[in-house]
Amino acid sequence: MKKLKCILLIFGILACSDLEEEVFSEISPSNFYSDVTEANVALTSIYNSFNRTVGLYDFGISSMVSCPSPKLQGRVPWRRIWANYTTSSNDGLSLPRVWNSFYQGIFRANTVLSELEGRTFEEDDDKRIEYIAEIQFLRAWSYFNLVQLFGAVPLPLAPAVTIEDAQLPRTPIAEVYAQIIADLEAAEANLPADKRPESEIGRPIKATATFLLAKVYLTMAGLPLQDAPKMSIAQAKIQEVISLEGSDQGYQLIDSYEDAIRVDNNAGRIFAVQQTQAVPDQGTAFSHVWGAQQRFGGGLGQFHFGFTEDFYFEFEDTDERRDVTMLSSYTNINGVFKDYFGTAEEGDGSSWNPRHGLFQNKYVDFDQACCDGDPDMIIYRYADALLMAAEIENSLNGPTGTAYGYLNRVRLRANATEAPAGMSQEEFAEYVYEERYRELSLEFQELYDIRRLGKVEEVLAIHPENITWQPANTPYNPNFDLWPLPFTEINANPNLEQNPGW
């Protein structure tokens, strides 16, 4: 840069006549989105909003969605406040990482959409249309998370050019859902039907949008909207997904539960947030901040939260999901064998503090350095589709053989026994709810299930952080059905109103 400045200075001394600057290259929105390659770069920037280290999942969603699970107990106070509802709008560790990440993705999506929708690529225009569909999927998924967490939220659908564009009021919940459905239907129509090639691994296909539509309709049938007719639509959409099982256009229940968790982008993964060590700041800290103490090199493992002992014993001994989900024993980096159920003396078989719970074992990376872990964040798997199908069938028709069939496929794959026969409709619904914990814990569905099924008060009453471990004894308040909006957003946007009670 210094050399360039000198050249310009010499040129000015030797030629003091009128000069006109000739621009040889310039990157701007008007000429950047000129082909598929450049459009793909812009699209990739949207994904970057969700997968940065110490961000949306390892610090944000894990606190706000997973910690309220009654199957978890916490060591770290700033995680526990989400379990016992003693958090506030001033939280600076989890709340802004969720709000900011999703809205950054939305703002980027709006910008790229506005550019691509007004263009035509002379070659590969079908790819441009496909990219638009992919962006609509990501925007819908972002709003789906936001509306479940916060209720009515601002709904920008165009680039924010002025301050006023960025200071929108909250849009009613039903209208947010209407936009989510519109985006997903457009995505479903134009995403590729077949599974992606290796160069595009992890990106959505038509069936991904269909699955998310089913989940959206199922959610709308529950609280807070209680739009009962949506349950039948959810059934139709989930059946579309199931009809594609095992084909190039669909997903499947792979034989091994451990492979379903450990192998990224396997045939049972519907959607995941991709993480990598290969690119700086694109890994995850999850297996470090949630991992067992001194299990990994460098003494990593901060064990922010652990599973309860009661949850461990909810599994049958043959159920493979128990030991894939949680860790009951391991050898630490000092060669000491640690066993949660072991003796209290230091040495082989020594126990660890029961306050810490059983460490998570779903996200494991032994060669990471703090925050560059490789395991993708699991968002949706095909087992979720089958459990949804069981729940929907029971809701519409009772615990039929069809409902039992979906439920038992999930259980038998994990080497658990079949669900008890002869359950009532209410008993079956509760059994599926508990099965979702056994199958999907730490896949960021917990709070969403709790809320749509109206179980916030019930879960708070039994949560370890409220009754057992340093209890807060927080009484239930209907305001707990939504999280607070970040105080910084309320302060910056005069058109925003806080959720009641926060």
Side-chain angles (χ1 to χ4, degrees):
M1 182 60 72
K2 289 183 178 179
K3 181 177 181 181
L4 175 60
K5 289 181 178 178
C6 291
I7 292 173
L8 292 176
L9 178 61
I10 293 170
F11 182 80
I13 293 172
L14 295 178
C16 294
S17 58
D18 292 340
L19 299 176
E20 292 186 6
E21 181 180 6
E22 184 177 355
V23 178
F24 291 95
S25 66
E26 177 184 1
I27 296 177
S28 70
S30 63
N31 65 14
F32 178 71
Y33 299 85
S34 61
D35 56 28
V36 166
T37 300
E38 292 175 349
N40 187 50
V41 170
L43 171 55
T44 302
S45 75
I46 303 171
Y47 285 99
N48 180 248
S49 303
F50 312 128
N51 69 352
R52 289 194 302 275
T53 188
V54 191
L56 177 59
Y57 279 92
D58 37 27
F59 267 46
I61 289 288
S62 54
S63 293
M64 297 173 64
V65 175
S66 293
C67 287
S69 164
K71 315 301 182 182
L72 289 169
Q73 61 189 46
R75 180 184 70 86
V76 179
W78 62 266
R79 300 281 197 183
R80 293 202 300 264
I81 60 176
W82 298 98
N84 58 29
Y85 291 81
T86 57
T87 188
S88 77
S89 64
N90 289 312
D91 168 72
L93 289 170
S94 298
L95 191 53
R97 284 181 167 91
V98 171
W99 181 279
N100 294 345
S101 295
F102 282 127
Y103 270 112
Q104 183 178 77
I106 289 166
F107 290 144
R108 290 178 177 182
N110 289 340
T111 298
V112 183
L113 278 175
S114 70
E115 293 295 335
L116 294 184
E117 287 175 338
R119 299 173 186 268
T120 300
F121 292 164
E122 292 184 4
E123 299 181 0
D124 298 321
D125 199 55
D126 288 346
K127 200 67 174 177
R128 178 187 66 88
I129 295 171
E130 177 189 306
Y131 283 169
I132 289 173
E134 187 170 351
I135 295 166
Q136 289 168 319
F137 172 85
L138 293 173
R139 184 169 69 177
W141 172 70
S142 298
Y143 276 127
F144 185 43
N145 281 277
L146 288 167
V147 76
Q148 290 177 96
L149 292 168
F150 303 106
V153 291
L155 190 69
L157 299 174
V161 178
T162 67
I163 294 295
E164 290 73 21
D165 294 337
Q167 293 183 336
L168 298 179
R170 301 173 69 172
T171 297
I173 292 173
E175 294 180 28
V176 177
Y177 272 107
Q179 180 59 47
I180 291 168
I181 291 170
D183 270 348
L184 287 176
E185 288 178 340
E188 186 183 38
N190 293 308
L191 280 169
D194 290 345
K195 292 177 182 176
R196 299 282 191 153
E198 188 66 28
S199 61
E200 297 178 348
I201 200 74
R203 291 164 74 161
I205 59 175
K206 175 183 171 67
T208 321
T210 305
F211 168 85
L212 189 52
L213 272 169
K215 187 171 281 289
V216 168
Y217 286 125
L218 174 61
T219 303
M220 294 175 74
L223 290 170
L225 293 180
Q226 294 184 290
D227 188 351
K230 292 296 190 294
M231 189 67 79
S232 294
I233 307 175
Q235 185 178 52
K237 300 310 292 185
I238 206 65
Q239 289 305 315
E240 288 182 40
V241 176
I242 291 172
S243 71
L244 297 170
E245 182 176 331
S247 72
D248 289 338
Q249 291 82 41
Y251 306 96
Q252 65 190 67
L253 193 68
I254 62 176
D255 293 338
S256 164
Y257 182 78
E258 183 163 17
D259 286 348
I261 300 304
R262 305 271 185 248
V263 180
D264 287 338
N265 300 308
N266 63 69
R269 292 277 178 97
I270 295 176
F271 188 59
V273 172
Q274 306 290 299
Q275 308 285 172
T276 179
Q277 289 182 344
V279 180
D281 201 37
Q282 301 303 299
T284 173
F286 204 94
S287 62
H288 168 44
V289 298
W290 280 71
Q293 185 178 24
Q294 295 186 322
R295 186 184 185 190
F296 312 108
L300 301 183
Q302 294 182 334
F303 53 105
H304 285 190
F305 244 74
F307 289 98
T308 68
E309 186 174 323
D310 287 345
F311 186 49
Y312 182 89
F313 287 112
E314 287 180 24
F315 290 84
E316 298 167 314
D317 287 341
T318 59
D319 194 330
E320 298 169 3
R321 298 174 297 184
R322 184 188 68 187
D323 295 328
V324 173
T325 300
M326 63 190 92
L327 191 69
S328 61
S329 64
Y330 69 103
T331 301
N332 69 18
I333 58 172
N334 299 316
V336 176
F337 178 67
K338 307 288 287 183
D339 186 345
Y340 179 86
F341 300 104
T343 61
E345 293 79 20
E346 185 66 23
D348 283 350
S350 63
S351 61
W352 62 82
N353 189 338
R355 176 68 182 90
H356 303 156
L358 290 113
F359 304 132
Q360 74 84 20
N361 199 34
K362 273 194 170 179
Y363 301 93
V364 177
D365 188 347
F366 284 94
D367 67 353
Q368 76 174 73
C370 170
C371 307
D372 62 352
D374 271 333
D376 295 342
M377 295 293 99
I378 304 168
I379 311 303
Y380 305 126
R381 290 190 291 112
Y382 189 66
D384 191 357
L386 294 175
L387 291 176
M388 287 168 56
E391 178 183 342
I392 294 167
E393 171 67 13
N394 180 62
S395 177
L396 293 173
N397 303 310
T400 63
T402 299
Y404 266 99
Y406 294 132
L407 173 59
N408 284 329
R409 282 194 64 193
V410 173
R411 289 186 56 77
L412 292 174
R413 187 276 298 270
N415 206 27
T417 60
E418 291 188 345
M423 288 188 282
S424 68
Q425 187 176 39
E426 292 75 18
E427 289 169 338
F428 189 91
E430 185 67 16
Y431 196 94
V432 171
Y433 166 69
E434 292 291 340
E435 192 69 23
R436 291 182 65 80
Y437 284 114
R438 289 186 284 269
E439 178 72 26
L440 304 172
S441 279
L442 278 192
E443 296 178 37
F444 317 110
Q445 303 297 311
E446 296 95 334
L447 181 70
Y448 298 151
D449 288 340
I450 290 167
R451 285 185 173 175
R452 68 181 176 83
L453 295 171
K455 290 180 174 289
V456 175
E457 182 174 11
E458 172 190 314
V459 168
L460 179 61
I462 63 174
H463 202 289
E465 306 310 324
N466 208 38
I467 64 169
T468 304
W469 300 110
Q470 298 179 359
N473 295 314
T474 312
Y476 170 72
N477 189 311
N479 299 330
F480 295 164
D481 293 342
L482 296 172
W483 289 133
L485 276 62
F487 173 77
T488 51
E489 298 299 318
I490 298 291
N491 197 42
N493 182 354
N495 296 313
L496 276 187
E497 295 182 2
Q498 183 59 272
N499 278 323
W502 294 103

